[in-house]
């Protein structure tokens, strides 16, 4: 039987009852697969790896070792939330690695988007591999692979070209070729969310908007500098806060701030004030292949503009990107 193929008889998980049945089944399957072995998981804080972590904590408790690599390109408070939920609330075995300097030093001066992605992807694997080597007795690697990932690799194996390279934790070095544990690999995203809620993960984490692996690295356009990255993180946090407040967060598929590497002239306290523009992107889509623009009310745009320009050092303009996909991709890089 091809274990990477979803059986036609498999019912779509839409209710808590179905989710609980799935969880019971996977808890049993994972216990059978790993016995008393140790399992390693790269926990990014995204929906998929978080659901796998919660499921494995339930199945094997402290036999699971989660490693959270903070590459310094996370959104505001994101890494802190991972620690709070998994270490403090779920009592998971969590190794937190702050690798900000490693990533930002390597990225200094690099402006090509694909080069940036390659550096981030490669370094991510290296930091994770360093941690894995430090840990003793690991036999298994858990991954948050979901069914669209499997369908996508089939498409790529058939020679269809990807527009941008994406990374995950595939491709660990030979000496770390662990057996894989992939408990949600036959699920679609909506099912993963229902399972996440059934496992008791917070709604905001389970319904979190998609966030690219290279994180803010592809939103701090061109060569990343620490000051512009800081401004981006703060401006993005304001956007998310205001979207939460006005109810747009529940409605819009993906929304974020981008900061290009240009400055314009402004005026502040009667003096010349050169600053970066913050660009707002807010799109709706079902499959990320094409996307339309959300019509944000002007009052909300004004409030966000006022807050960002007043609260974030270095930003003197706010723009709203009205470009659909195609022609623009969702991310700017
Ligand atoms: P684009 O920009 O290609 O984005 O229209 C489509 C979706 O993919 C996300 N994206 C990425 N996700 N690594 C990821 O894990 C990446 O390098 C990457 N680039 C884009 C993007 O956020 C959107 O949801």
């Amino acid at each position: 039987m091809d274990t990477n193929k979803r059986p036609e008889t498999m019912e779509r998980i839409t209710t808590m009852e179905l989710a609980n049945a799935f969880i019971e089944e996977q808890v049993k399957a994972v216990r059978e697969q790993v016995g008393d072995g140790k399992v390693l998981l790269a926990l990014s804080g995204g929906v998929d790896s978080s659901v796998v972590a919660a499921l494995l904590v339930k199945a094997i408790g402290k036999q699971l070792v989660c490693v959270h690599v903070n590459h310094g390109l996370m959104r505001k408070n994101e890494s802190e939330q991972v620690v709070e939920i998994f270490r403090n609330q779920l009592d998971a075995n969590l190794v937190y690695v702050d690798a900000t300097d490693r990533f930002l030093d390597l990225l200094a001066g690099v402006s090509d988007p694909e080069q940036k992605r390659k550096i981030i992807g490669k370094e991510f694997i290296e930091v994770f591999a360093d941690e894995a080597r430090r840990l003793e007795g690991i036999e298994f690697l858990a991954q948050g692979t979901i069914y669209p990932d499997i369908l996508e690799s089939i498409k790529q194996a058939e020679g269809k070209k990807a527009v941008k390279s994406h990374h995950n934790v595939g491709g660990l070095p030979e000496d770390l070729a662990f057996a894989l544990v992939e408990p949600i690999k036959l699920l679609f995203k909506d099912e993963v969310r229902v399972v996440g809620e059934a496992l008791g993960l917070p709604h905001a984490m389970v319904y979190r908007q998609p966030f690219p692996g290279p994180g803010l690295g592809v939103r701090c356009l061109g060569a990343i500098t620490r000051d512009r990255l800081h401004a981006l993180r703060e401006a993005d946090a304001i956007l998310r806060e205001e979207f939460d407040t006005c109810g747009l967060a529940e409605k819009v598929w993906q929304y974020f701030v981008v900061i290009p590497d240009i400055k314009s002239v402004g005026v502040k306290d009667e003096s010349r004030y050169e600053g970066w523009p913050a660009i707002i992107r807010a799109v709706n889509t079902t499959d990320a292949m094409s996307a339309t623009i959300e019509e944000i009310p002007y009052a909300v745009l004004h409030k966000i503009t006022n807050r960002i320009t007043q609260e974030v050092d270095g930003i003197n303009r706010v723009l709203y990107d009205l470009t659909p996909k195609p022609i623009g991709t969702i991310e700017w890089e």
Side-chain angles (χ1 to χ4, degrees), residues 117 164-167 210-214 218-219 253-254 288 325 329-331 333:
R117 275 194 176 77
K164 296 177 187 180
S165 56
H166 289 193
H167 85 266
F211 186 57
V218 288
R219 296 178 181 170
W253 196 77
Q254 203 172 9
K325 175 181 180 177
T329 48
I330 294 177
E331 303 291 344
E333 288 194 332

Side-chain angles (χ1 to χ4, degrees), residues 2 19 27 46 48-49 117 146 166 171 185-186 192 206 217 224 242:
D2 182 357
V27 163
D48 306 333
S49 66
R117 275 194 176 77
I146 64 171
H166 289 193
K185 71 177 175 182
L186 297 183
V192 177
V206 170
I224 300 167
E242 291 303 326

Side-chain angles (χ1 to χ4, degrees), residues 166-278:
H166 289 193
H167 85 266
N168 55 36
V169 197
L172 278 178
E174 280 284 296
D175 64 313
L176 299 173
F178 305 118
L180 291 182
V181 178
E182 297 177 301
I184 58 171
K185 71 177 175 182
L186 297 183
L187 301 191
F188 287 100
K189 198 80 177 190
D190 54 319
E191 300 179 296
V192 177
R193 296 193 209 276
V194 182
V195 169
E197 289 219 277
L199 285 162
L201 288 175
H203 184 85
M205 180 172 246
V206 170
Y207 283 88
R208 181 181 105 137
Q209 57 166 317
F211 186 57
L216 299 182
V218 288
R219 296 178 181 170
C220 190
L221 305 184
I224 300 167
T225 56
R226 288 174 194 247
D227 53 354
R228 194 155 50 90
L229 180 62
H230 177 74
L232 169 62
R233 184 173 285 121
E234 295 299 318
D236 186 71
I238 291 173
L239 176 77
R240 289 194 289 140
E241 221 176 279
E242 291 303 326
F243 266 43
D244 275 336
T245 308
C246 72
L248 278 170
E250 296 279 317
K251 199 172 151 233
V252 181
W253 196 77
Q254 203 172 9
Y255 48 96
F256 52 88
V257 169
V258 172
I259 302 193
D261 188 12
I262 53 168
K263 281 192 171 176
S264 70
V265 177
V267 56
K268 191 176 185 180
D269 303 329
E270 294 171 40
S271 298
R272 183 182 170 99
Y273 174 48
E274 290 184 6
W276 303 291

Side-chain angles (χ1 to χ4, degrees), residues 32-66:
E32 260 166 35
Q33 185 189 358
V34 309
D36 57 8
K38 272 196 192 168
V39 182
L40 180 65
L41 169 73
L43 176 59
S44 66
V47 183
D48 306 333
S49 66
S50 297
V51 170
V52 169
L55 185 58
L56 295 192
V57 166
K58 190 173 168 80
I60 54 170
K62 298 268 171 156
Q63 280 167 255
L64 172 71
V65 185
C66 304

